[in-house]
Amino acid sequence: MNEDILQGKWKQVRGEIQSFWGKLTNDDLDRIQGDSAKLAGKLQEHYGYSRQEAEHAIADFLNGIQEKLEANSQKS
């Protein structure tokens, strides 16, 4: 899932992000607004990830979410 898809699906993905990374607040998510660089920064801030670790964690998370969204759309 690339940046465009993250931004386009932000409302769907936002809750999943907050469930997965529980230290992120609603204010954090309001500021992120689908921007993966901002998300990476917040993960560094709250979880102590390096930039590379944060980007890798986001990529892994988004791959899982993309699979979930595709599975849900195939059921409809």
Side-chain angles (χ1 to χ4, degrees):
M1 181 181 285
N2 65 26
E3 182 80 16
D4 294 335
I5 296 171
L6 177 61
Q7 290 177 353
K9 302 275 187 186
W10 180 245
K11 289 185 181 183
Q12 291 173 287
V13 175
R14 178 186 167 126
E16 298 284 341
I17 288 173
Q18 193 165 32
S19 292
F20 194 78
W21 287 296
K23 291 181 183 179
L24 296 177
T25 66
N26 285 328
D27 287 342
D28 291 333
L29 296 171
D30 288 344
R31 289 183 186 102
I32 293 166
Q33 285 298 311
D35 185 329
S36 63
K38 289 179 182 177
L39 177 56
K42 288 297 180 184
L43 293 179
Q44 287 177 279
E45 180 182 327
H46 290 293
Y47 289 92
Y49 292 171
S50 70
R51 186 68 172 188
Q52 186 176 9
E53 288 172 326
E55 289 171 355
H56 184 57
I58 292 166
D60 288 347
F61 173 81
L62 292 177
N63 285 334
I65 290 296
Q66 185 172 10
E67 291 172 9
K68 185 177 178 179
L69 291 172
E70 288 172 358
N72 285 342
S73 69
Q74 290 175 0
K75 289 180 184 177
S76 299

